[in-house]
Amino acid sequence: MGKTQGITTTETALAEENAGRALSSVSTLAVRVAGFVPTRVDMRFAGTPQQQLGITLGAVLVYVSMHRTAAMIADKWAAAAPLARDLSHALPQGRRDAAVAAGPWLLSAMVRFAGTPAVTALMLTPAPSRDVPPLLRMQVGPVTWELADAVAYTSMLNAWRIAEDRLACGQTPPH
């Protein structure tokens, strides 16, 4: 009897990728937020070479392991404060739904930042005939957050500052 060799779909996909015949990547993703953004900052293995900070910003989970990465992102986010002054303090629920509903928008993602990703801020003003509020676009590496009000900006800025502080406390001393 002949020998039958079976390869699972996962094994096939990995073999194709390793052979250089398959490639997929997400080059950018966009998240639009309004109102309070639920955030969470968790640190694991602080003070060791394996330290890792997870920062949840709404539907996006970001991993950062180096203080300088979080510090640079927090500083650039804070530098966008003059632009954020042009945002409504808090959009009323009806306008919030309209601002966030236009899409399609991301449901959830996990991203790892290392080094110093490019961080840019830009104020987007809608055309006069559109009933969309101005948006503050914060792009950090491949992730673009479009913030519809100052409450969203402030909650995310605070999370980046906490991340920076936690990583500063967990830094390993230079050898």
Side-chain angles (χ1 to χ4, degrees), residues 64 66-80 113-121 138-142 157 160-161 163-165 167-168:
V64 180
M66 296 176 58
H67 173 256
R68 74 179 167 108
T69 303
M72 190 272 303
I73 294 171
D75 289 348
K76 297 277 180 135
W77 204 281
F113 289 140
T116 52
V119 180
T120 59
M138 294 295 303
Q139 184 160 356
V140 182
L157 171 61
W160 280 115
R161 287 180 171 160
E164 176 186 8
D165 290 345
L167 282 167

Side-chain angles (χ1 to χ4, degrees), residues 30-83:
V31 183
R32 188 175 281 182
V33 294
F36 178 75
V37 178
T39 62
R40 181 179 169 153
V41 180
D42 297 297
M43 174 71 94
R44 297 192 47 132
F45 311 114
T48 70
Q50 294 82 22
Q51 83 175 1
Q52 179 169 269
L53 180 129
I55 177 171
T56 304
L57 304 161
V60 180
L61 171 59
V62 175
Y63 286 110
V64 180
S65 60
M66 296 176 58
H67 173 256
R68 74 179 167 108
T69 303
M72 190 272 303
I73 294 171
D75 289 348
K76 297 277 180 135
W77 204 281
L83 294 174

Side-chain angles (χ1 to χ4, degrees), residues 28-34 59-60 95-109 124 130 132-133 135-138 142-148:
T28 62
L29 57 101
V31 183
R32 188 175 281 182
V33 294
V60 180
R95 292 214 51 209
R96 188 178 306 161
D97 292 342
V100 176
W105 299 108
L106 178 70
L107 298 177
S108 65
L124 303 174
R130 301 226 21 216
V132 178
L135 298 171
L136 174 59
R137 177 179 284 168
M138 294 295 303
V143 182
T144 301
W145 280 279
E146 292 183 348
L147 303 127

Side-chain angles (χ1 to χ4, degrees), residues 2-3 12 17 23 32 35 79 94 104-105 111 147 153:
K3 185 176 177 184
T12 303
E17 184 176 322
L23 176 65
R32 188 175 281 182
W105 299 108
V111 180
L147 303 127
Y153 170 80

